[in-house]
């Protein structure tokens, strides 16, 4: 084998500010002109040993959340080995640029226009999913059905790597391994560079990409009760020119739900009541693939291509009993059996071009995204009267087909201005077409006939064009970011029978302002403002919704208007030796506020219809505290409280209403002997109300314990979810003429055991060098 110039050896140990070893830190060796020579990474104990040329060298050590360490050294023929000893990396603490709270644990940090939850190597990241990570973020809640809310508001936009994606649909987040996540950005007041959608804000999940040559990844297995079988894996493989990445997953899951309701109303002068009980058994099959590659054209240009497919098949069986009463006497009893099968296929193609320039911080990007998905859902509903006499069952079937095509093209340009200024501007265009076909038929006289005229096709077209510009700079301890976004929206919705056709065209400006003041490296203040929009979706506008329960249905409202929110926020943080404190006060004012209006139709069935009210104003306070009294114990708590006032009249009913809402989250993580880790998470949500409906407070407790084996390559974990079986939604809706009480227990307690195996291969260059030296 030919001789190599790598004749020397550099070794050392990377440690943090507490003199603890830093495993898997990046090591880069450069020549005197800063030309790349070789790379490596530290071992579990923080140590490293890398073959190098015998010349003047620059050694750099980098780790997420730390300032890059750099040291010059010289090796020659008489001094071919150099031990640099312990090399201490310092935390990168700079408020509004990035205040990092702690090292290897999952941490909360702050930037000019966002909070950043960095996923560490603690129990949060071990054998959990993206949904579990979101659930542990301050003021974020995930309900039993996977609906994500921020500060009690479900109108939150979830992005993956800054883009809308199918990885957020159909429980796909529950298939993304937590270890694949680098950080989650919590953006309550987004800057102008983000889309204006989502009045609550944006949650941006950033996935990891391999920065080291070679291959690494993890494999996850899960089995739970009720049946919850899953297998998933994430893999990265990097060479000089290519970086391949992929996440795959498959799940086989059962859910058990129990629901009950009590309807009280007056009909023809008689007091009526309906008691309803439902036992539901759901089964979901899911398959997920997300993969692609980065291709480095040169040291400044990168092309990224990725493809995502998420395929699910859901089956649902329910047994529903209806007991009808008149003046407390049982009139009749109905029994309904329902079966449904839904098949969904979501596909997404991504293409990205990145161009960096010689001037540091200047870059240009172009993003193209094409989404296409379809779904088909069939319901079979069999209703039988069993009291006072047994009648022949009545049969009903429905078919619902949906299709979607979504094209997005976006370009962004960033350039520094003088020493600390930065200018951003960009364009975005999106066109979406959604089709919906709905047919309901009942079996009459040995024939299937259209039921209540429910046979229609809906076509929805939405085009959004956007442009933005923003500028930020620093002036001593003061910094600012000011931006303006313009979004033009065109919507057309029509049905096959031309019962209604609606066209909407509007243009709005969305200004944003972010101001900050830094007292020290550990304390600072922020003030921000943004204008947001919440556009009605096709499901909000579509009046042809599926039938499952004739006594309570959801219907769309084609006359809905978008709601606009002006959001103000003022906050600050203080980092003490063992305590990190953050607090914010906020105020939201929303015009054309959307809310569900519940009424009884001519068939004495309850219908929930989204409507626009005049406005809603909301002001609140949010606090979070992270306390680390000792090395093995970490305590975290967040509290959110707001008071709101709503105004509006609909169908001659006064919807003026004021109330408050609060939420408390507490998390404790303990490192026990024998490398056993324990976590307890308690979420408490206070009572919430509007003019018609009151939802009682509820709470739930999750417990997790895990232990690592094989030098931290294998982790075995046990999770108990909703361990007290207390995650129940209890509602009371009242209006002149009726009272409706509902109890929903969508998912009972769940228990699962997981196995997580990590694998990694050191850099090919380093291995080849060592092999060459041996030869």
């Amino acid at each position: 084998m030919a001789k190599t110039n790598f004749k020397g050896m550099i070794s050392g140990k990377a440690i943090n500010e507490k003199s603890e070893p830093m495993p898997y830190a990046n090591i880069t060796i450069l020549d005197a002109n800063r030309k790349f020579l070789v790379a490596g990474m530290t071992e579990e104990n923080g140590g490293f040993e890398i073959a190098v040329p015998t010349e003047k060298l620059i050694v750099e050590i980098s780790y997420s959340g730390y300032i890059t360490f750099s040291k010059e050294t010289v090796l020659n023929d008489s001094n071919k080995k150099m031990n640099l000893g312990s090399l201490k990396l310092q935390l990168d603490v700079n408020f509004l640029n990035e205040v990092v709270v702690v090292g290897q644990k999952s941490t909360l940090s702050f930037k000019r226009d966002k909070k950043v939850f960095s996923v560490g190597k603690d129990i949060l990241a071990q054998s959990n999913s993206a949904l579990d990570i979101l659930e542990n973020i301050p003021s974020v809640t995930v309900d039993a059905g996977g609906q994500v809310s921020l500060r009690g508001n479900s109108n939150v936009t979830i992005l993956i790597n800054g883009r809308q994606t199918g990885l957020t649909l159909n429980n796909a987040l529950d298939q993304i391994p937590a270890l694949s996540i680098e950080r989650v950005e919590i953006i309550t007041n987004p800057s102008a560079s983000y889309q204006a959608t989502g009045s609550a804000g944006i949650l941006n999940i950033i996935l990891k990409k391999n920065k080291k040559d070679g291959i690494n990844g993890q494999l996850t297995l899960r089995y739970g009760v009720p049946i919850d079988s899953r297998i998933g894996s994430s893999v990265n493989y990097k060479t000089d020119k290519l970086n391949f990445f992929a996440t795959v997953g498959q799940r086989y899951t059962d859910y058990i739900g129990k629901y009950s309701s009590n309807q009280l109303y007056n009909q023809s002068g008689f007091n009526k009541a309906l008691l309803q009980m439902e036992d539901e058994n759901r089964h979901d099959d899911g398959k997920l693939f997300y993969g692609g590659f980065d291709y480095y054209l040169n040291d400044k240009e990168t092309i990224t291509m990725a493809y995502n497919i998420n395929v699910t098949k859901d089956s649902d069986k329910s047994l529903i009993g209806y007991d009808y009463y008149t003046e407390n006497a049982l009139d009749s009893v109905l029994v309904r059996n329902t079966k449904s099968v839904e098949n969904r296929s979501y596909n997404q193609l991504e293409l990205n071009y990145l161009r960096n320039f010689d001037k540091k911080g200047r870059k240009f990007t172009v993003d193209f995204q094409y989404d296409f998905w379809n779904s088909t859902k069939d319901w079979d509903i069999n209703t039988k009267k069993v009291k006072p006499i047994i009648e022949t069952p009545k049969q009903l079937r429905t078919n619902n087909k949906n299709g979607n095509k979504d094209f997005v093209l976006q370009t962004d340009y960033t350039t520094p201005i003088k020493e600390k200024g930065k200018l951003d501007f960009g364009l975005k265009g999106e066109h979406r077409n959604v089709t919906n076909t709905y047919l309901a038929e009942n079996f009459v006289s040995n024939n299937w006939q259209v039921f209540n005229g429910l046979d229609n096709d809906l076509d929805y077209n939405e085009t959004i064009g956007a442009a933005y510009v923003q500028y930020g700079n620093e002036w001593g301890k003061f910094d600012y970011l000011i931006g303006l976004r313009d979004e033009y929206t065109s919507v057309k919705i029509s049905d096959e029978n031309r019962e209604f056709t609606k066209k909407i065209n509007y243009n709005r400006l969305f200004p944003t302002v972010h101001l900050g003041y830094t007292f020290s490296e550990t304390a600072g203040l922020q003030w921000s403002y943004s204008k947001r929009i919440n556009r009605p979706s096709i499901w909000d506008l579509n009046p042809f919704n599926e039938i499952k329960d004739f006594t309570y249905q959801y219907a769309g409202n084609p006359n809905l208007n978008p709601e606009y929110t002006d959001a103000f926020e003022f906050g600050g943080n203080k980092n003490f030796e063992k305590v990190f404190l953050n607090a914010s006060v906020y105020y939201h004012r929303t015009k054309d506020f959307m809310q569900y209006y519940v009424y009884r139709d001519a068939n004495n069935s309850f219908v929930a219809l989204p409507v626009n009210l005049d406005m809603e104003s909301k002001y609140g306070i949010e606090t979070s505290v992270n306390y680390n009294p000792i090395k093995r114990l970490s305590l975290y708590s967040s509290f959110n409280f707001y008071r709101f006032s709503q105004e509006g009249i609909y169908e001659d009913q006064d919807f003026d209403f004021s109330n408050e809402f609060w939420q408390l989250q507490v998390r404790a993580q303990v490192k026990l002997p024998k490398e056993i880790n324990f976590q307890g998470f308690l979420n408490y949500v206070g009572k919430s109300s509007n003019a018609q409906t009151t939802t009682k407070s509820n709470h739930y407790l999750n417990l997790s314990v895990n232990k690592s084996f094989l030098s931290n390559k294998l982790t075995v974990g046990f999770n108990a979810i909703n361990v007290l079986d207390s995650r129940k939604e209890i509602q009371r809706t009242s209006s002149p003429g009726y009272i409706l009480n509902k109890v929903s227990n969508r998912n009972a307690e769940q228990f699962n055991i997981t196995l997580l195996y990590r694998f990694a291969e050191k850099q090919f260059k380093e291995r080849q060098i060592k092999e060459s030296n041996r030869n």
Side-chain angles (χ1 to χ4, degrees), residues 529-548:
Y529 163 78
S530 70
K531 192 174 187 68
R532 311 292 294 161
I533 185 174
N534 179 24
R535 298 178 179 88
S537 69
I538 183 177
W539 319 119
D540 296 321
L541 300 170
N542 182 11
F544 302 102
N545 282 357
E546 66 183 29
I547 297 174
K548 175 188 176 184

Side-chain angles (χ1 to χ4, degrees), residues 188-403:
T188 52
N189 252 0
S191 66
S193 61
Y194 292 96
Q195 58 190 10
T197 305
S199 58
I202 293 173
L203 296 174
N204 185 22
I205 301 172
I206 306 298
L207 301 180
K208 294 178 181 177
K209 284 189 178 181
N210 193 11
K211 298 178 182 180
K212 303 172 286 292
D213 287 355
I215 186 169
N216 68 61
Q218 58 269 336
L219 174 68
T220 305
L221 302 175
R222 175 190 286 189
Y223 182 78
V225 178
I227 293 175
D228 185 7
S229 300
R230 307 185 188 207
I231 182 171
S233 180
S234 292
V235 181
N236 262 157
Y237 170 67
K238 187 175 184 299
T239 66
D240 288 340
K241 282 289 187 179
L242 286 172
N243 176 44
F244 293 93
F245 53 89
T247 296
V248 295
Q250 183 167 357
R251 61 184 171 89
Y252 183 92
T253 310
D254 285 345
Y255 302 92
I256 297 175
K258 291 185 177 295
Y259 311 87
S260 64
S261 68
N262 179 10
Q263 303 177 17
L264 305 174
Y265 56 96
N266 188 278
Q267 183 177 349
S268 303
F270 294 95
N271 292 321
K272 299 278 189 175
L274 168 59
L275 300 181
Q276 180 179 333
M277 300 291 294
E278 178 181 356
D279 291 327
E280 180 189 47
N281 290 282
R282 305 194 319 275
H283 174 75
D284 295 350
D285 291 334
K287 297 178 181 179
L288 171 73
F289 171 80
Y290 176 71
F293 64 87
D294 303 309
Y295 179 68
Y296 308 105
L297 297 171
N298 48 55
D299 60 349
K300 292 184 175 61
E301 294 179 285
T302 303
I303 292 177
T304 300
M305 291 189 65
Y307 175 67
N308 167 35
I309 181 169
N310 181 17
V311 179
T312 62
K313 180 178 181 180
D314 304 340
S315 59
D316 191 332
K317 295 181 180 180
S318 291
L319 177 63
I320 311 174
Y322 302 85
D323 294 348
Y324 292 87
Y325 291 82
T326 300
E327 301 294 346
N328 296 322
L330 182 64
D331 283 343
S332 59
V333 176
L334 298 179
V335 176
R336 173 166 292 142
N337 287 281
T338 71
K339 297 180 180 179
S340 73
V341 176
E342 182 174 14
N343 292 282
R344 292 172 291 199
S345 176
Y346 183 97
N347 300 266
Q348 183 180 68
L349 179 65
E350 301 173 12
L351 178 62
N352 169 267
Y353 170 76
L354 168 64
R355 172 70 161 90
N356 289 306
F357 295 86
D358 291 335
K359 189 171 184 178
K360 185 178 180 181
R362 179 176 293 173
K363 66 178 181 178
F364 172 71
T365 61
V366 179
D367 293 276
F368 172 76
Q369 182 175 307
Y370 173 47
D371 299 2
F372 53 103
W373 57 261
N374 59 76
S375 68
T376 302
K377 188 171 187 177
D378 294 293
W379 276 102
D380 289 315
I381 303 171
N382 187 299
T383 305
K384 183 177 182 181
K385 190 172 186 177
V386 296
K387 286 185 180 182
I389 59 174
I390 298 176
E391 296 183 354
T392 303
K394 296 180 179 179
Q395 295 174 275
L396 179 75
R397 69 183 185 187
T398 68
N399 175 264
N400 195 358
K401 295 180 180 179
N402 294 290

Side-chain angles (χ1 to χ4, degrees), residues 400-635:
N400 195 358
K401 295 180 180 179
N402 294 290
N404 178 90
K405 293 181 180 180
D406 193 353
F407 298 87
V408 180
L409 181 62
Q410 178 174 339
T411 179
D412 300 273
Y413 182 79
T414 299
T415 184
I417 303 294
K418 295 185 178 180
E419 184 178 353
K420 296 182 179 180
K422 188 175 75 166
L423 176 68
D424 301 89
F425 55 87
L427 300 170
K428 180 180 179 180
E430 179 175 6
H431 177 75
R432 184 160 66 109
N433 172 253
V434 182
T435 57
N436 176 261
T437 301
Y438 187 77
L439 173 65
E441 299 174 301
N442 61 342
F443 195 69
V444 180
S445 301
N446 295 321
N447 288 304
W448 289 102
Q449 299 180 4
V450 175
F451 177 75
N452 286 348
L454 294 176
D455 180 12
N456 211 332
D457 293 347
L458 198 71
D459 191 66
Y460 177 89
N461 286 277
E462 179 183 74
T463 301
I464 300 175
Y468 77 90
V469 60
Q470 65 181 24
Y471 176 74
N473 208 332
E474 297 180 23
W475 183 40
K477 294 184 177 183
F478 173 78
D479 69 271
Y480 61 89
L481 178 65
I482 301 174
L484 182 65
R485 187 178 185 91
D486 179 73
E487 290 192 356
Y488 170 81
T489 305
S490 175
V491 175
K492 180 180 178 182
I493 181 171
S494 62
D495 70 312
E496 182 185 38
N497 297 329
R498 294 294 184 260
E499 293 181 9
F500 69 88
T501 297
K502 186 173 183 179
K503 295 181 180 180
I504 308 173
N505 296 284
Y506 53 91
N507 189 75
R508 293 291 186 276
L509 294 175
F510 299 91
T512 62
V513 181
H514 295 78
L515 307 176
Y517 186 82
T518 303
F519 293 102
S520 67
E521 291 184 343
T522 60
L525 294 174
Q526 290 179 307
W527 181 88
S528 60
Y529 163 78
S530 70
K531 192 174 187 68
R532 311 292 294 161
I533 185 174
N534 179 24
R535 298 178 179 88
S537 69
I538 183 177
W539 319 119
D540 296 321
L541 300 170
N542 182 11
F544 302 102
N545 282 357
E546 66 183 29
I547 297 174
K548 175 188 176 184
D549 179 7
F550 291 105
T551 66
Y552 197 97
Q553 301 174 41
Y554 290 90
N557 180 2
N559 295 314
L560 270 183
N561 294 318
E563 60 180 26
Y564 294 93
T565 298
D566 291 290
F568 300 84
E569 186 168 343
F570 177 74
N573 79 298
K574 175 63 178 176
N575 190 5
F576 301 94
E577 182 178 356
K578 294 184 178 181
V579 178
F580 179 80
L581 174 65
N582 172 256
S584 300
V585 292
Y586 57 91
Y587 173 74
H588 290 181
R589 183 178 178 87
T590 302
K591 182 182 178 182
D592 288 329
F593 172 69
M594 287 190 284
Q595 179 176 292
Y596 274 104
Y597 165 62
V598 181
Y599 68 95
R600 289 181 63 84
D601 64 13
N603 298 318
N604 292 318
S605 176
F606 286 96
V607 179
L609 180 76
V611 300
N612 289 114
L613 301 182
D614 291 340
M615 60 82 63
E616 180 193 62
S617 61
K618 178 191 300 182
Y619 56 91
I621 182 171
E622 177 186 55
T623 64
S624 62
V625 180
N626 200 338
Y627 177 45
N628 299 279
I630 59 176
K631 184 176 179 180
R632 289 183 172 271
L633 176 63
S634 177
L635 302 174

